[in-house]
Amino acid sequence: MSGAKWKPLDVIAQDVQSGKVTAKELVEASFGYIEQAKEYKAIISVCRERALDRAKEIDARQQQGERLGRLAGVPFIAKDNFLTLGGATTAASNILNNFNAPYQATVIDRLEAEGAICVAKANLDAFAHGSSTENSDWFTTKNPHDKSRVPGGSSGGSAAAVALELAPFALGTDTGGSIRQPAAFCGIVGLKPSYGLLSRNGVIAMASSTDVIGPLARSVADAALVVDVAAGKDEWDGTTIDRAAEPYTKLEEFSLSGKKVALISEYFPESLPTEIKDATKQAIEKMTALGATIEEISLPSLPLSLACYYVIGPAEISSNLARYDGQRYGHVSSEAESLEEAYTKSRSEGFGSEAKRRIMIGTYVLSSGFYDAYYRRAQQVRTKLINEFNQAFEEYDLLIGPTAPTTAFKIGENTKDPMQMYLSDVMTVAANLTGVPAISLPSGTAEDKLPIGLQLIAPQNHDRKLLGYAKEIEEALK
Ligand code: GLN
């Protein structure tokens, strides 16, 4: 975990282009690291054949003197809710056990077009419902910094994989915090881009209005390169937005000097553990030294954001999971004797308890008697939140706070009470509800050596600015 296994992504690609190293060597190195780190259970499956085939092809093109892509030969790991060719995609759910996708996610295609190679699929909470990977139907991933603790979730396998350097970067999804919170728990960089910047096509839907794809990486520069390769309009996802005209990797123009930054007071409560407070204060000092002015502001609707998310999220989940009906794909009950039973038994056997809980809550809040009381009100709160963020960004360039209210918790600590688990997202869900980009940066460690994350939030579609400031802060925190 010393950061020594892989070079920065652009350097790896240059080394492959110049023949210093072959794609095959890189892919095999990654397989070796995965094998050595098996006890952490970060990986669900290895894409051995396809990865080696792709490496061979890239190496042959290099031999011909061809121009390879910007990620030539760079191995990466995808959360197992990204459809990929050359292996199963399970979303860590029994209902998709051994499911082989007929096509792959747009983002995977775009990364591959620049030479990147998907070597493995990472563990997650089934269907990305959770904050610890304990909702995975396969196994729980262990935190690389302390094996008795969770890596966070739901992209916990991806985060642990990057912290263990099984590959130089990974892909995750963030519907309510699932990239940022595990990045914070594992001590790496996790970016949730603006809603719509990266195509959701080919990524198993959780809550479609807040689902976002993003990188987990060892540096802001690496995360920026992944976004630059993957971002932009996709005809297969009608919610995708135009990418910025300038590259996401060109960040020199952004400096915190003279900028106004706001610490969100709702994310800095009295009850916050002292070590997280101290890490945040230290980051504030560094930002002040960089020339920024830091003030504290309140966004009054924020305390409602978690409740709002846990109404809107399940509503969309209940709709999205309706497609797993034991008819088209996925688990089919062998016990069913009628069509009705085929639906109910396949779903009852295939879904885990968290998916069932969310389907029931979601169906309830959408039902005609309760729609106004729950779903409509949650949407009203969402609008208020968007307005409050917009207002804040009229005055401030960047909003900050910790990424999570705790460091990595113990395996089993929060499994008995779903509410306790949901509270882990209290600082992340608002960015999803409002669509704004947010990033988690490592900002120190607690006394027990567990990493602490700092969250930066920028206005919608200002992802370049967010990355620019993040890079400056990352440097200052080193
Ligand atoms: N932990 C949150 C949840 O359980 C967020 C999940 C996510 O972002 N995929 O819903």
Side-chain angles (χ1 to χ4, degrees):
M1 291 190 358
S2 54
K5 286 179 187 162
W6 304 99
K7 295 179 183 175
L9 304 185
D10 56 340
V11 179
I12 300 176
Q14 283 156 23
D15 286 353
V16 172
Q17 180 74 64
S18 66
K20 233 190 216 170
V21 66
T22 64
K24 183 163 179 270
E25 285 166 337
L26 292 169
V27 164
E28 277 173 348
S30 183
F31 290 152
Y33 298 142
I34 291 170
E35 189 59 35
Q36 285 159 23
K38 260 194 155 150
E39 58 181 318
Y40 291 94
K41 301 189 174 175
I43 300 301
I44 292 179
S45 60
V46 174
C47 317
R48 187 173 297 279
E49 231 173 284
R50 186 176 155 88
L52 285 170
D53 284 351
R54 289 194 26 82
K56 215 161 127 189
E57 193 188 305
I58 289 166
D59 290 334
R61 285 179 47 210
Q62 194 277 339
Q63 290 282 309
Q64 300 299 314
E66 274 182 48
R67 185 92 222 114
L68 308 171
R70 299 164 73 197
L71 291 173
V74 174
F76 72 97
I77 291 168
K79 189 175 180 179
D80 204 27
N81 57 352
F82 285 75
L83 304 188
T84 50
L85 297 173
T89 297
T90 71
S93 173
N94 262 316
I95 211 160
L96 284 175
N97 197 4
N98 293 324
F99 172 67
N100 281 292
Y103 66 96
Q104 15 185 58
T106 296
V107 165
I108 304 268
D109 278 342
R110 289 190 181 170
L111 292 172
E112 281 195 356
E114 290 293 332
I117 302 176
C118 181
V119 291
K121 306 293 289 290
N123 195 30
L124 64 152
D125 292 286
F127 285 111
H129 306 162
S131 313
S132 67
T133 75
E134 288 164 296
N135 291 334
S136 167
D137 283 347
W138 308 145
F139 39 75
T140 297
T141 300
K142 296 175 179 170
N143 190 304
H145 300 267
D146 178 347
K147 278 183 247 173
S148 70
R149 291 175 186 270
V150 302
S154 64
S155 310
S158 297
V162 172
L164 292 162
E165 294 200 281
L166 309 186
F169 81 94
L171 291 176
T173 58
D174 191 315
T175 303
S178 279
I179 289 175
R180 288 161 287 156
Q181 184 257 25
F185 280 15
C186 291
I188 58 166
V189 174
L191 171 70
K192 171 223 173 285
S194 291
Y195 181 78
L197 185 60
L198 271 69
S199 169
R200 292 177 292 113
N201 175 53
V203 179
I204 294 173
M206 178 175 162
S208 304
S209 80
T210 68
D211 282 348
V212 162
I213 311 310
L216 296 105
R218 297 160 307 145
S219 70
V220 174
D222 280 0
L225 178 53
V226 174
V227 168
D228 200 49
V229 167
K233 275 231 188 286
D234 174 19
E235 59 168 326
W236 296 101
D237 176 357
T239 63
T240 45
I241 55 174
D242 283 324
R243 50 171 299 135
E246 298 278 293
Y248 292 85
T249 45
K250 191 174 153 284
L251 303 169
E252 304 77 31
E253 71 200 78
F254 301 103
S255 158
L256 277 169
S257 174
K259 298 296 183 314
K260 283 185 79 178
V261 175
L263 172 68
I264 302 174
S265 56
E266 284 77 9
Y267 290 172
F268 209 68
E270 268 308 307
S271 57
L272 201 64
T274 315
E275 292 174 315
I276 298 183
K277 272 191 195 153
D278 289 348
T280 311
K281 283 187 198 152
Q282 238 181 45
I284 289 173
E285 274 167 33
K286 303 272 186 197
M287 282 184 248
T288 310
L290 290 169
T293 320
I294 324 272
E295 290 168 12
E296 196 165 328
I297 58 157
S298 163
L299 301 179
S301 297
L302 268 186
L304 299 173
S305 62
L306 195 68
C308 173
Y309 170 79
Y310 275 101
V311 171
I312 294 173
E316 296 183 16
I317 287 165
S318 69
S319 309
N320 275 326
L321 294 184
R323 72 191 61 164
Y324 302 98
D325 56 5
Q327 304 298 311
R328 287 169 283 192
Y329 45 75
H331 174 74
V332 183
S333 174
S334 53
E335 312 273 291
E337 284 174 6
S338 66
L339 181 62
E340 174 85 24
E341 268 189 27
Y343 288 139
T344 51
K345 290 208 160 137
S346 301
R347 287 171 68 78
S348 301
E349 291 163 11
F351 286 129
S353 55
E354 186 60 28
K356 285 176 185 161
R357 180 178 296 117
R358 293 185 190 213
I359 290 168
M360 285 189 277
I361 294 173
T363 310
Y364 180 81
V365 301
L366 287 174
S367 63
S368 64
F370 298 97
Y371 184 94
D372 286 338
Y374 294 103
Y375 186 73
R376 190 189 303 280
R377 283 179 83 189
Q379 291 292 11
Q380 286 165 343
V381 171
R382 185 176 191 173
T383 303
K384 278 190 78 139
L385 276 169
I386 293 171
N387 291 340
E388 286 173 20
F389 271 87
N390 284 342
Q391 234 173 9
F393 284 127
E394 274 174 25
E395 201 173 330
Y396 298 96
D397 300 279
L398 196 65
L399 305 181
I400 62 162
T403 306
T406 65
T407 51
F409 44 87
K410 289 258 184 208
I411 292 173
E413 190 177 324
N414 287 335
T415 44
K416 297 211 174 58
D417 179 4
M419 264 311 291
Q420 211 47 48
M421 190 67 90
Y422 295 172
L423 280 170
S424 196
D425 309 316
V426 69
M427 292 162 181
T428 48
V429 294
N432 299 81
L433 291 167
T434 57
V436 298
I439 192 167
S440 180
L441 297 180
S443 63
T445 49
E447 216 164 274
D448 51 13
K449 302 269 184 298
L450 292 175
I452 297 169
L454 174 76
Q455 184 175 207
L456 314 177
I457 308 174
Q460 188 148 26
N461 303 340
H462 287 259
D463 298 70
R464 286 186 65 238
K465 200 157 101 178
L466 177 69
L467 287 163
Y469 296 153
K471 205 168 167 201
E472 214 186 7
I473 296 167
E474 173 187 54
E475 198 55 45
L477 285 171
K478 261 178 199 157

